[in-house]
Amino acid sequence: MEKAPYNHRGRGEILKIFKKVYIEITSICNLACTFCPPTERKANFISVDDFAKRLDEIKPHTKYIYLHVKGEPLLHPKIDELLDLSHEKGFKVNITTNGTLIAKNRHKLLGKPALRQMNFSLHSFDGHVGSTDREGYLRDILSFVREAQKHRVLFSFRLWNLTQDNQTNIQKKRNRQTLEIVEKEFGLDYRIEEKVVPGGGVKIAERVYLNQDHEFQWPSLTAPEDEGKGFCYALRSQAAILVDGTVVPCCLDGEGVINLGNINQASFSDIVNGERANQLVEGFSRREAVEELCRRCGYRQRFGA
């Protein structure tokens, strides 16, 4: 079993190193997608000062940050300042976005040295009832990608709306319309569906990838509870900080159910080394989900029983 990456800092103190830390910069979204339950938390944007403090807190723990948990990061009016701060403090940034605001924000993103990768959730277009102008939506995204490629940004187009019965005919048709536009843009001589398998991806251009997967289900305390066996990388490779400062084990705890502590009252280091955090990690070392939300998380089952 893979062990959590730890460094010993003297006097028995343990420094946990994460591959990434999610910093939610807003809990607000401009869409209402059917696959994404609305948050019951207070609508909020992180301040630049609070963002800077969180970067200082997590700096010993990671070099990579993701500006999302829930909410649409490109709604943040000072996204450019947050990127500048990230670069100043030595972080590389990944952003996951629905892409609808990319034209409005392209000047805030282009040329930012902190920006490492952007993930576009293309399934958001069909997931949001009432979406119109598929071609215009994709044209804005593809135009930005073409320009940002010059700055060596990585891109992932996500189409996570497959169903276990291999999609309805309606969704198949919609996905084909989306993929056809992408194929034409990059001059592909094949259909993307022929190259990619659910859960996998395909390189369609330099530093540009597309992956398809089944529709994502957010874990919830109202979801069915399983026997609790299995493994997860929560607090081994990742942790997350919600916009109000609540620290949670992973990016899937969008409501802060597993509240490990608040960064406004305790240090990030102390929180991820706290009793509840350690019990969760030790539980998964035994292949046991000790938290109720984890026992109701279908994503955990991807790592085997």
Side-chain angles (χ1 to χ4, degrees):
M1 177 59 61
E2 179 178 329
K3 294 183 178 180
Y6 298 144
N7 285 344
H8 292 271
R9 306 181 73 183
R11 297 197 305 275
E13 184 180 357
I14 293 176
L15 174 64
K16 293 184 178 179
I17 305 298
F18 301 110
K19 291 182 180 178
K20 54 196 172 186
V21 172
Y22 293 81
I23 301 180
E24 184 184 67
I25 60 175
T26 180
S27 56
I28 305 168
C29 190
N30 61 320
L31 299 184
C33 296
T34 55
F35 56 79
C36 188
T39 181
E40 298 178 3
R41 295 180 285 121
K42 180 181 177 181
N44 203 356
F45 289 96
I46 196 170
S47 70
V48 174
D49 286 345
D50 281 346
F51 184 75
K53 291 175 184 176
R54 288 174 197 181
L55 293 184
D56 290 338
E57 286 277 341
I58 68 171
K59 190 167 185 178
H61 299 271
T62 193
K63 295 180 180 178
Y64 297 94
I65 57 176
Y66 287 59
L67 300 186
H68 60 95
V69 176
K70 284 287 191 76
E72 168 52 51
L74 297 191
L75 274 174
H76 199 290
K78 297 184 178 180
I79 184 70
D80 50 344
E81 293 184 39
L82 303 187
L83 287 170
D84 288 340
L85 261 175
S86 299
H87 176 62
E88 178 185 319
K89 294 179 181 293
F91 290 95
K92 289 296 184 182
V93 177
N94 289 24
I95 295 176
T96 295
T97 173
N98 58 44
T100 57
L101 303 173
I102 194 65
K104 180 180 178 181
N105 286 278
R106 60 184 292 149
H107 66 288
K108 296 183 178 182
L109 302 171
L110 287 172
K112 294 297 185 184
L115 187 57
R116 173 185 175 269
Q117 179 171 330
M118 290 196 68
N119 306 313
F120 287 97
S121 299
L122 301 186
H123 49 278
S124 300
F125 184 86
D126 291 317
H128 177 73
V129 178
S131 291
T132 59
D133 191 14
R134 186 187 307 271
E135 287 192 13
Y137 164 73
L138 291 169
R139 182 174 59 249
D140 287 344
I141 292 173
L142 293 169
S143 172
F144 173 81
V145 169
R146 284 300 197 187
E147 182 65 25
Q149 276 181 297
K150 302 173 186 176
H151 302 282
R152 300 194 59 77
V153 178
L154 287 165
F155 293 98
S156 173
F157 296 138
R158 295 175 173 179
L159 210 50
W160 292 358
N161 58 10
L162 302 180
T163 58
Q164 296 299 330
D165 59 357
N166 202 27
Q167 305 175 266
T168 63
N169 287 331
I170 293 176
Q171 193 55 58
K172 276 186 178 182
K173 182 178 179 180
R174 290 170 175 169
N175 282 356
R176 176 90 297 271
Q177 291 170 348
T178 292
L179 293 173
E180 189 173 287
I181 293 171
V182 174
E183 291 161 1
K184 183 178 180 180
E185 172 68 24
F186 293 101
L188 304 185
D189 60 359
Y190 59 86
R191 286 194 169 202
I192 290 173
E193 304 99 314
E194 298 170 356
K195 299 282 187 177
V196 66
V197 296
V202 60
K203 182 177 181 179
I204 58 176
E206 186 64 29
R207 307 181 73 81
V208 182
Y209 301 82
L210 187 142
N211 61 76
Q212 288 193 278
D213 208 340
H214 294 101
E215 183 173 307
F216 176 75
Q217 297 292 325
W218 284 88
S220 167
L221 292 179
T222 62
E225 184 173 1
D226 61 29
E227 74 286 354
K229 300 298 182 183
F231 179 72
C232 181
Y233 290 96
L235 292 177
R236 291 178 185 267
S237 66
Q238 64 169 282
I241 308 172
L242 302 183
V243 69
D244 68 352
T246 300
V247 178
V248 292
C250 73
C251 64
L252 305 187
D253 188 358
E255 293 302 301
V257 174
I258 307 176
N259 185 341
L260 302 175
N262 193 289
I263 204 166
N264 297 313
Q265 281 86 46
S267 73
F268 182 79
S269 295
D270 286 346
I271 291 171
V272 297
N273 274 299
E275 181 179 0
R276 189 173 186 181
N278 286 332
Q279 286 178 348
L280 184 146
V281 173
E282 291 165 4
F284 281 126
S285 293
R286 304 188 302 269
R287 307 193 75 82
E288 176 186 343
V290 300
E291 291 282 350
E292 181 182 357
L293 185 68
C294 299
R295 295 193 295 272
R296 298 178 185 272
C297 176
Y299 196 87
R300 190 192 82 247
Q301 297 169 0
R302 298 186 181 200
F303 305 119

